[in-house]
Amino acid sequence: MSCTATVPPRDPLTLGRSGHPLKRVGGRARVFCIKPRRHGLQSARTFVSFLRAMLSSLSLTLSLALGMGAAAQTVADKVAMLRLAPTEVDRIKLLSDDDFTFDFLHQSTGVTTGGAGHTVAASSGNFPALIGNGMAMTVGFLGPCGMNTPHVHPRATEFNFVVNGTLSAGLLVENGARFVAHDLQSGQAAVFPRGAIHFEFNNGCEPAMFVAAFNDEDPGVDQVAQRFFGLPPAIVDATLGGIGVEQVAGLESKIPDNIALGSDECLQRCGISRGNQPTNQRQARVSANALPSGFSGPSVADSPPATATYSLPSFSPSPATPTGSSSQQTSNSDAVRGGASIVDSNGKPDPLVLSLLIVVCALAAGYVALAIVWCVRRRREKTDRTRGMKYFKTGPDFAPQGAIFEAEKAQPFERYSGAHDSERITPYDAPSGGA
């Protein structure tokens, strides 16, 4: 801190007893001690750094949340845009080179798993390149005595090729038609007309594999047992000759997931125990098909939504990250949910996305609170310096001299309302007898 005085040219400059210059004001000489205003500049720099850190962290968190939401919509957006594309050339432009390949051996979508094997499906739900091409494919991996349980494809004819092993297959086309049976060796294929009830059964003790082609990009699938017993129990009871709704509910709870274990004869021959098989593919229940009292089943809230909602943002080609669903039991709507949402494919809140959104909101609220606190404290400090702790002393006892002056220099200063309003100064009266 330095003590200086600026006086008009017409005023004589005198010195007090401490040797500091004095300004004559109204017959009194006053000295002005000026303290450089570094605090304000440092506070401003601190606040700017704080704002930068706040914006950076918010931007990073929002990017993570939006990036996850965008990834969940990639397939849905591609499917929607491909369906609207007027020509094949336009569809090609929307796809990258990698979008034209599908790996059946390393898939996390389109997979249906039971106690005796699994199937992997490529359809429009998880392989957008099929849009407009009128075809789909499923590869089945059947363990010993594994069976692709009776089912129908409501929108496509199936052409099933046996890669290895031996499959026993059969079909029923409609009422009045005879039952058609096949024993398919490796290298042989069979056709299953659209809507026909059919099955494939590995009657051997070694794994078998088949490849099924469909003439529709979304062939659909209905497992006969699960869907039949998913009707109102009273209707099923009457259809079965009145066995009782309790018997119907008991049977429904025991229907195994596809792929299931086959006949007892095969199991005994291959030394396999049936044991407990998963039963997660049961029909969801609403009030119209509710089970009788004492029995429970999956609800609609626990099942995939029946329809898909699409969003149509601008789309730039990029490698697809399939997010489809099982071809056998899981609706394709698992993969093609559109629009920004914090719910997963089951209609429940997605824990990760929800957590990120909560973090973003908490960060934003915290930063706003910190900014308010900083502004309030800054204003309070400024008020204290200018009003709450005034230092304005007159008279000879407070003239700048010796230890008193040195001690008083450390006290807070007020803003002088004179010609040099931009300087923080402390006025002092002239000493006794000063000019």
Side-chain angles (χ1 to χ4, degrees), residues 367-380:
Y367 286 135
V368 169
L370 287 175
I372 293 174
V373 171
W374 186 90
C375 291
V376 170
R377 292 187 62 183
R378 178 80 176 119
R379 184 177 182 85
R380 184 177 298 171

Side-chain angles (χ1 to χ4, degrees), residues 147-199:
M147 178 176 61
N148 191 9
T149 58
H151 60 281
V152 301
H153 300 290
R155 292 179 292 276
T157 295
E158 175 182 343
F159 191 46
N160 191 303
F161 175 78
V162 179
V163 177
N164 65 278
T166 301
L167 295 183
S168 296
L171 66 96
L172 284 170
V173 175
E174 59 180 304
N175 292 343
R178 67 181 180 85
F179 174 70
V180 178
H182 307 287
D183 285 323
L184 303 173
Q185 305 297 321
S186 176
Q188 294 182 331
V191 62
F192 302 108
R194 182 174 64 179
I197 301 175
H198 61 285
F199 65 89

Side-chain angles (χ1 to χ4, degrees), residues 136-435:
M137 181 173 287
T138 294
V139 176
F141 302 89
L142 306 183
C145 302
M147 178 176 61
N148 191 9
T149 58
H151 60 281
V152 301
H153 300 290
R155 292 179 292 276
T157 295
E158 175 182 343
F159 191 46
N160 191 303
F161 175 78
V162 179
V163 177
N164 65 278
T166 301
L167 295 183
S168 296
L171 66 96
L172 284 170
V173 175
E174 59 180 304
N175 292 343
R178 67 181 180 85
F179 174 70
V180 178
H182 307 287
D183 285 323
L184 303 173
Q185 305 297 321
S186 176
Q188 294 182 331
V191 62
F192 302 108
R194 182 174 64 179
I197 301 175
H198 61 285
F199 65 89
E200 296 90 18
F201 171 41
N202 175 17
N203 199 27
C205 298
E206 298 294 331
M209 176 180 174
F210 69 81
V211 176
F214 303 93
N215 62 346
D216 190 281
E217 62 203 32
D218 182 25
V221 63
D222 269 337
Q223 300 301 132
V224 173
Q226 283 91 340
R227 303 296 80 80
F228 173 67
F229 277 89
L231 296 172
I235 300 300
V236 178
D237 172 45
T239 304
L240 297 178
I243 64 174
V245 292
E246 290 79 8
Q247 291 290 336
V248 170
L251 290 173
E252 187 271 343
S253 65
K254 297 181 182 300
I255 299 174
D257 293 345
N258 192 52
I259 303 292
L261 290 170
S263 66
D264 286 339
E265 186 277 328
C266 181
L267 296 178
Q268 293 174 3
R269 176 164 36 88
C270 298
I272 299 174
S273 173
R274 190 178 299 275
N276 294 323
Q277 300 180 76
T279 59
N280 300 317
Q281 298 169 3
R282 300 164 62 190
Q283 179 65 40
R285 298 290 167 173
V286 295
S287 58
N289 68 339
L291 294 170
S293 177
F295 295 87
S296 62
S299 64
V300 173
D302 300 327
S303 302
T307 59
T309 303
Y310 296 97
S311 60
L312 298 176
S314 59
F315 170 71
S316 58
S318 61
T321 302
T323 57
S325 61
S326 170
S327 66
Q328 295 289 328
Q329 295 297 328
T330 307
S331 170
N332 283 334
S333 58
D334 282 354
V336 294
R337 292 181 59 83
S341 175
I342 62 172
V343 299
D344 58 18
S345 59
N346 292 325
K348 297 180 178 179
D350 188 295
L352 187 55
V353 176
L354 188 60
S355 298
L356 284 174
L357 290 178
I358 293 174
V359 169
V360 170
C361 294
L363 283 175
Y367 286 135
V368 169
L370 287 175
I372 293 174
V373 171
W374 186 90
C375 291
V376 170
R377 292 187 62 183
R378 178 80 176 119
R379 184 177 182 85
R380 184 177 298 171
E381 290 174 359
K382 182 178 179 181
T383 302
D384 290 343
R385 288 196 303 270
T386 58
R387 295 181 182 180
M389 299 179 66
K390 289 184 178 180
Y391 185 89
F392 187 90
K393 300 181 180 181
T394 60
D397 293 338
F398 298 97
Q401 52 186 322
I404 295 177
F405 174 68
E406 295 298 329
E408 291 174 344
K409 286 195 298 183
Q411 298 186 19
F413 305 130
E414 74 172 24
R415 182 181 296 278
Y416 178 60
S417 59
H420 304 280
D421 189 52
S422 62
E423 299 176 343
R424 296 183 184 276
I425 56 181
T426 301
Y428 293 85
D429 283 343
S432 300

